[in-house]
Amino acid sequence: MARVEAVSALPHRFLRTSRKCPQAYPATFTIDCVCRILTFMHTTIRSPADFQTAPVPFMHRDLEARGLTEFALKDRSRFIQVFRGVWVEAAPSSRVLCPPWAGHQWLQQQVRLSALLLLHPNVVGCSLTAAVLYGLPLPHQLTDFDTHVITSDRGLRIRRRAVQLHRGSGFDITEFYNLPLISATDLFFELAPLLGADDLVAVGDAAISRQNSGPLTSLDQLRARAEASHYLKARKSVRRALSLIRETVDSPRETWLRLWIIENGFPEPVVHPEVRCSTVSAALRPDLGYPDIKLAIEYEGDHHRTSSYQFGVDIERRQLLEAEGWVVLRVSKRTDMDTFKHILATYLS
């Protein structure tokens, strides 16, 4: 019974995948409905859902239900005004639905977008806001804490601090952890003019892989959208990205390393080549590799160094690869890439 109550408590918008498909489950659930909802959650939310403590925005009309008065809202130690007419608790106790990887920036944008939706329920998160909420990688220098939303309503005006209103038509909408966002396919093309060529490839790699909550779209969908567009912004960057995006990439640094190898004149390595290991009867998949010469290249992030478990796994994997006759080259953010270029050349020449 506890499972039924937990599921039935989820907001209806969490149970929809697209604004184009607005049907929601009824408020009174049968066992069959619960099974369908659990199946939906398993197939639609590809990463497990989590709940974190975060403020839930409310408006003046909610004061009575919350047992509050207008005078209470003036206490800044208790309440913070997000936008004019929308407040949140300064010390929240509410639990909000979020992806398991969500951090402070994700929760901050979730609160601001949720607050704005109370005032303008027909807008949709887009641009850098949608990228943050989807968990797509953005370059560090692209720091923007504004809330970006899009609408097809030409008459809508929003004049609020740190809110940017975009206008468009024909875009698809995805309900992502109870938030309406422009689809990841449309977002890729919206971000194209804002990102460098390599950064756009990293976004595409993340969008079609299992990074964070993906895959959010597919390479076929991105290509079809590009072919169907008569007017395409940053067309050169988009075409280059679509030729270089690869499935199953685990991290933006893997993307960076693969592109670095290509841009330095080496053949493109295979992403996660399968290596059959006879020692433990398993398949090993290094980050990058050249199966024809049995050369593997691994990118070692900081967690490989700080996690004793991951460190042990890395050692064992390297030993197993070497037992199969493979050479393993390792790269980290501290690697001298000029030296690495010469080392790689000795194997690929």
Side-chain angles (χ1 to χ4, degrees), residues 181-196:
L181 304 178
I182 190 171
S183 73
T185 301
D186 289 329
L187 177 61
F188 174 84
F189 295 94
E190 187 183 26
L191 292 175
L194 306 178
L195 301 178

mmCIF file of all heavy atoms in Angstrom, residues 181-196:
data_model
loop_
_atom_site.group_PDB
_atom_site.id
_atom_site.type_symbol
_atom_site.label_atom_id
_atom_site.label_comp_id
_atom_site.label_asym_id
_atom_site.label_seq_id
_atom_site.Cartn_x
_atom_site.Cartn_y
_atom_site.Cartn_z
ATOM 1 N N LEU A 181 10.171 21.273 -20.753
ATOM 2 C CA LEU A 181 11.380 21.749 -21.416
ATOM 3 C C LEU A 181 11.249 21.548 -22.919
ATOM 4 O O LEU A 181 10.569 20.624 -23.378
ATOM 5 C CB LEU A 181 12.618 20.996 -20.925
ATOM 6 C CG LEU A 181 12.914 20.999 -19.424
ATOM 7 C CD1 LEU A 181 14.157 20.158 -19.142
ATOM 8 C CD2 LEU A 181 13.090 22.417 -18.905
ATOM 9 N N ILE A 182 11.920 22.401 -23.665
ATOM 10 C CA ILE A 182 12.018 22.172 -25.094
ATOM 11 C C ILE A 182 12.723 20.832 -25.299
ATOM 12 O O ILE A 182 13.590 20.441 -24.510
ATOM 13 C CB ILE A 182 12.794 23.334 -25.761
ATOM 14 C CG1 ILE A 182 12.697 23.253 -27.282
ATOM 15 C CG2 ILE A 182 14.236 23.356 -25.314
ATOM 16 C CD1 ILE A 182 13.253 24.486 -27.990
ATOM 17 N N SER A 183 12.338 20.085 -26.321
ATOM 18 C CA SER A 183 12.916 18.757 -26.517
ATOM 19 C C SER A 183 14.421 18.849 -26.714
ATOM 20 O O SER A 183 14.952 19.860 -27.184
ATOM 21 C CB SER A 183 12.277 18.069 -27.729
ATOM 22 O OG SER A 183 12.737 18.664 -28.936
ATOM 23 N N ALA A 184 15.118 17.789 -26.360
ATOM 24 C CA ALA A 184 16.574 17.769 -26.499
ATOM 25 C C ALA A 184 16.994 17.914 -27.961
ATOM 26 O O ALA A 184 18.046 18.498 -28.257
ATOM 27 C CB ALA A 184 17.142 16.478 -25.913
ATOM 28 N N THR A 185 16.181 17.399 -28.883
ATOM 29 C CA THR A 185 16.488 17.556 -30.303
ATOM 30 C C THR A 185 16.464 19.024 -30.704
ATOM 31 O O THR A 185 17.405 19.542 -31.316
ATOM 32 C CB THR A 185 15.476 16.773 -31.158
ATOM 33 O OG1 THR A 185 15.522 15.393 -30.790
ATOM 34 C CG2 THR A 185 15.794 16.914 -32.643
ATOM 35 N N ASP A 186 15.390 19.738 -30.349
ATOM 36 C CA ASP A 186 15.306 21.164 -30.665
ATOM 37 C C ASP A 186 16.365 21.965 -29.911
ATOM 38 O O ASP A 186 16.907 22.944 -30.426
ATOM 39 C CB ASP A 186 13.912 21.694 -30.320
ATOM 40 C CG ASP A 186 12.841 21.175 -31.272
ATOM 41 O OD1 ASP A 186 13.162 20.935 -32.447
ATOM 42 O OD2 ASP A 186 11.689 21.004 -30.847
ATOM 43 N N LEU A 187 16.661 21.546 -28.684
ATOM 44 C CA LEU A 187 17.645 22.267 -27.872
ATOM 45 C C LEU A 187 19.026 22.221 -28.516
ATOM 46 O O LEU A 187 19.768 23.212 -28.493
ATOM 47 C CB LEU A 187 17.697 21.669 -26.472
ATOM 48 C CG LEU A 187 18.732 22.266 -25.521
ATOM 49 C CD1 LEU A 187 18.477 23.756 -25.294
ATOM 50 C CD2 LEU A 187 18.736 21.517 -24.191
ATOM 51 N N PHE A 188 19.394 21.096 -29.099
ATOM 52 C CA PHE A 188 20.699 20.973 -29.747
ATOM 53 C C PHE A 188 20.884 22.084 -30.779
ATOM 54 O O PHE A 188 21.936 22.733 -30.841
ATOM 55 C CB PHE A 188 20.813 19.595 -30.402
ATOM 56 C CG PHE A 188 22.056 19.395 -31.227
ATOM 57 C CD1 PHE A 188 23.249 19.008 -30.629
ATOM 58 C CD2 PHE A 188 22.034 19.608 -32.601
ATOM 59 C CE1 PHE A 188 24.400 18.834 -31.395
ATOM 60 C CE2 PHE A 188 23.176 19.430 -33.367
ATOM 61 C CZ PHE A 188 24.359 19.047 -32.763
ATOM 62 N N PHE A 189 19.870 22.325 -31.589
ATOM 63 C CA PHE A 189 19.968 23.345 -32.631
ATOM 64 C C PHE A 189 19.855 24.751 -32.057
ATOM 65 O O PHE A 189 20.424 25.693 -32.605
ATOM 66 C CB PHE A 189 18.898 23.097 -33.694
ATOM 67 C CG PHE A 189 19.112 21.811 -34.434
ATOM 68 C CD1 PHE A 189 18.477 20.645 -34.032
ATOM 69 C CD2 PHE A 189 19.979 21.747 -35.512
ATOM 70 C CE1 PHE A 189 18.685 19.450 -34.703
ATOM 71 C CE2 PHE A 189 20.198 20.560 -36.185
ATOM 72 C CZ PHE A 189 19.563 19.400 -35.781
ATOM 73 N N GLU A 190 19.151 24.888 -30.942
ATOM 74 C CA GLU A 190 19.069 26.193 -30.290
ATOM 75 C C GLU A 190 20.418 26.582 -29.689
ATOM 76 O O GLU A 190 20.793 27.759 -29.686
ATOM 77 C CB GLU A 190 17.992 26.152 -29.196
ATOM 78 C CG GLU A 190 17.711 27.508 -28.580
ATOM 79 C CD GLU A 190 16.700 27.438 -27.451
ATOM 80 O OE1 GLU A 190 16.582 26.364 -26.814
ATOM 81 O OE2 GLU A 190 16.042 28.453 -27.193
ATOM 82 N N LEU A 191 21.170 25.609 -29.190
ATOM 83 C CA LEU A 191 22.465 25.888 -28.579
ATOM 84 C C LEU A 191 23.583 26.081 -29.599
ATOM 85 O O LEU A 191 24.632 26.656 -29.275
ATOM 86 C CB LEU A 191 22.854 24.734 -27.638
ATOM 87 C CG LEU A 191 22.017 24.546 -26.379
ATOM 88 C CD1 LEU A 191 22.467 23.292 -25.635
ATOM 89 C CD2 LEU A 191 22.102 25.758 -25.464
ATOM 90 N N ALA A 192 23.386 25.608 -30.819
ATOM 91 C CA ALA A 192 24.456 25.614 -31.821
ATOM 92 C C ALA A 192 25.117 26.984 -32.000
ATOM 93 O O ALA A 192 26.346 27.061 -32.049
ATOM 94 C CB ALA A 192 23.919 25.093 -33.154
ATOM 95 N N PRO A 193 24.378 28.086 -32.089
ATOM 96 C CA PRO A 193 25.047 29.383 -32.269
ATOM 97 C C PRO A 193 25.779 29.861 -31.012
ATOM 98 O O PRO A 193 26.590 30.784 -31.100
ATOM 99 C CB PRO A 193 23.880 30.340 -32.601
ATOM 100 C CG PRO A 193 22.737 29.464 -32.975
ATOM 101 C CD PRO A 193 22.912 28.216 -32.182
ATOM 102 N N LEU A 194 25.506 29.268 -29.867
ATOM 103 C CA LEU A 194 26.086 29.720 -28.604
ATOM 104 C C LEU A 194 27.367 28.977 -28.236
ATOM 105 O O LEU A 194 28.129 29.451 -27.387
ATOM 106 C CB LEU A 194 25.075 29.547 -27.460
ATOM 107 C CG LEU A 194 23.695 30.178 -27.641
ATOM 108 C CD1 LEU A 194 22.827 29.864 -26.431
ATOM 109 C CD2 LEU A 194 23.804 31.682 -27.860
ATOM 110 N N LEU A 195 27.592 27.835 -28.844
ATOM 111 C CA LEU A 195 28.688 26.961 -28.429
ATOM 112 C C LEU A 195 29.784 26.892 -29.481
ATOM 113 O O LEU A 195 29.531 27.052 -30.686
ATOM 114 C CB LEU A 195 28.161 25.544 -28.163
ATOM 115 C CG LEU A 195 27.084 25.390 -27.088
ATOM 116 C CD1 LEU A 195 26.648 23.937 -26.999
ATOM 117 C CD2 LEU A 195 27.592 25.881 -25.742
ATOM 118 N N GLY A 196 30.993 26.620 -29.029
ATOM 119 C CA GLY A 196 32.076 26.327 -29.937
ATOM 120 C C GLY A 196 31.841 24.995 -30.617
ATOM 121 O O GLY A 196 31.012 24.183 -30.187
#
